[in-house]
Amino acid sequence: MAVAVRSELATSENEHLFREVLRENPVGGNIEISMEREPNALYAAGISGDEYDLLIGISDETGKPVATGGRYELDLFVNGKPCRTGYLGELRSAGGFGFRREHLLFCYREMRRCHERGNASFYLTTIIADNLPARRLLEANLRGMPVYEPRGSIVTLAIPVRAGGHARSRLRVSGASEDDVPEIASSLLERGSHYQFMPAWTEQVLRSPSRCRDLEARDFLFVRDGELRASVALWDQRAFKQSVICGYSPTLARWRPAYNLVGPLLRRPRLPAPGARLEAAYLSHLNVNADDADAVTALVAAACRAAAQRGLDYLMLGLSEAHPLCAVLRARFPTHSYVSMVYVVYWEDGADAAAAIDDRMLHPEVAIL
């Protein structure tokens, strides 16, 4: 099915078209969510990369936007060292399966042109694990598409703040100040070398008004034991990124009322009604030893108490399924979670760089994906 589509890169004049496609084409799965970028798509793009291209596909027939794709470049830790790496996201398409396939191939043709003038050898992308149609399409190795190579999975934990704030720890949690930023950055950089795909959070990046939009020093919490032992940030992005519930699978929709009745008794989070915006923020920039259950419990509980004061309902934290603290958090906090597959994506010129990636534990930052 041939489609006549022209491409534009998002600017301040046309970025509303990018937002329109995201708003009207939710991500599938057991829970359908529209990942919205109001009031300006460029605000959210800045946190995902130092350089980015937001692609808009516009139908020649109707003049309406029908597809989007985002290509970003930033420094991530790869094999223990900061490396210029890419991220592909916001792949959305209007219409039925045939149109979606053609729009997807169109987006990749345009993204490859952007890639050829960029500096990333390969890219990351994440797909919700139960979005099987999207995964089958991306893994089909269609002509004109880059290679999608599965590298593992991450779990995003949604922690209800009012229940999570009841967890207790003997450790003292303090709020950071501007004077603490250099130490936090230094510790994050040391930690990043142990993981695959953790951002290189330099002091310059932490202070960047675009890369860390709406994140201030006072949003960081830390545990100190002589020196910095562990830290995390409470990053509220609702001013420029929103997640809106669009619907549930038939089975989940049928059981949602009963689940919401018993959920509070079991300290489980409620499932919001379709149309509701998730009042959620991220627990980002996590910096803690993989065996330090006490520190991560103290940090998350303190962040939940702080989040409740801001009118938030959930905190979101992403960890590799293999991370020891993932099981700790699930045991100590009520959570709703979803699993995403992590892919390394590359064209022919990135095959060698992708093949050289070692098997360190994954730690992409879900707050910027």
Side-chain angles (χ1 to χ4, degrees):
M1 180 185 296
V3 294
V5 182
R6 70 179 188 275
S7 68
E8 294 183 5
L9 292 178
T11 66
S12 57
E13 287 74 32
N14 66 1
E15 58 79 28
H16 65 281
L17 301 175
F18 192 91
R19 288 186 282 119
E20 180 181 329
V21 176
L22 294 186
R23 188 169 56 247
E24 297 182 0
N25 295 277
V27 176
N30 288 326
I31 303 177
E32 283 196 341
I33 300 177
S34 61
M35 305 296 189
E36 302 183 8
R37 299 294 184 263
E38 306 296 335
N40 190 316
L42 303 181
Y43 295 167
I47 73 170
S48 297
D50 306 309
E51 305 288 340
Y52 55 83
D53 300 296
L54 300 187
L55 178 71
I56 309 168
I58 300 175
S59 169
D60 282 341
E61 180 180 357
T62 66
K64 294 183 177 181
V66 294
T68 59
R71 190 196 76 94
Y72 306 87
E73 290 188 11
L74 71 165
D75 291 336
L76 303 179
F77 277 94
V78 178
N79 299 345
K81 296 181 179 179
C83 175
R84 200 64 171 175
T85 309
Y87 171 68
L88 300 182
E90 285 105 18
L91 287 166
R92 304 286 191 277
S93 172
F97 179 80
F99 282 107
R100 290 180 187 274
R101 173 173 166 163
E102 290 297 315
H103 290 162
L104 184 68
L105 294 174
F106 160 80
C107 285
Y108 282 121
R109 287 195 298 271
E110 298 304 309
M111 282 188 176
R112 180 160 191 172
R113 293 191 178 98
C114 296
H115 162 75
E116 289 172 349
R117 63 173 182 264
N119 297 298
S121 298
F122 62 87
Y123 299 82
L124 300 184
T125 200
T126 59
I127 305 293
I128 295 176
D130 62 16
N131 188 356
L132 297 180
R135 289 178 56 195
R136 282 194 291 266
L137 182 59
L138 295 177
E139 295 174 15
N141 292 320
L142 298 177
R143 184 177 180 181
M145 284 182 56
V147 175
Y148 271 73
E149 181 182 305
R151 295 294 299 194
S153 57
I154 55 173
V155 179
T156 301
L157 304 173
I159 304 169
V161 301
R162 297 195 180 279
H166 292 301
R168 297 298 173 186
S169 170
R170 60 180 177 80
L171 299 178
R172 178 184 175 185
V173 177
S174 302
S177 69
E178 288 291 337
D179 292 340
D180 297 307
V181 173
E183 185 181 14
I184 290 172
S186 176
S187 185
L188 282 166
L189 289 172
E190 192 285 327
R191 183 81 59 196
S193 66
H194 300 289
Y195 291 99
Q196 209 66 278
F197 310 140
M198 182 170 171
W201 294 117
T202 64
E203 182 179 351
Q204 180 182 4
V205 172
L206 292 183
R207 296 188 186 278
S208 168
S210 57
R211 286 292 309 281
C212 288
R213 179 179 291 273
D214 287 0
L215 182 65
E216 300 180 13
R218 61 183 176 85
D219 296 316
F220 282 84
L221 301 169
F222 64 84
V223 173
R224 188 175 291 283
D225 188 5
E227 58 185 21
L228 186 67
R229 174 171 168 178
S231 62
V232 75
L234 171 54
W235 197 354
D236 185 355
Q237 302 177 355
R238 291 176 295 173
F240 56 92
K241 284 176 64 178
Q242 304 83 30
S243 298
V244 178
I245 301 294
C246 295
Y248 295 93
S249 67
T251 299
L252 198 54
R254 184 168 60 252
W255 286 102
R256 190 178 71 87
Y259 177 91
N260 283 347
L261 281 176
V262 302
L265 300 176
L266 302 174
R267 298 178 64 236
R268 306 294 293 181
R270 293 178 181 272
L271 296 175
R277 186 181 81 169
L278 284 177
E279 300 299 336
Y282 288 95
L283 287 173
S284 62
H285 301 75
L286 182 64
N287 177 23
V288 61
N289 285 335
D291 60 353
D292 199 343
D294 288 341
V296 78
T297 299
L299 288 171
V300 171
C304 283
R305 293 190 287 271
Q309 296 177 359
R310 302 189 190 187
L312 290 157
D313 294 326
Y314 295 91
L315 289 180
M316 316 291 285
L317 173 63
L319 289 171
S320 167
E321 273 199 297
H323 200 297
L325 293 181
C326 187
V328 169
L329 291 169
R330 281 174 154 167
R332 298 190 179 185
F333 294 89
T335 63
H336 178 72
S337 62
Y338 64 90
V339 177
S340 298
M341 302 302 298
V342 177
Y343 293 88
V344 170
V345 186
Y346 55 91
W347 282 276
E348 294 88 346
D349 58 354
D352 290 343
I357 299 171
D358 66 31
D359 60 356
R360 295 173 207 226
M361 189 182 299
L362 303 179
H363 196 68
E365 176 56 75
V366 299
I368 65 174
L369 301 184

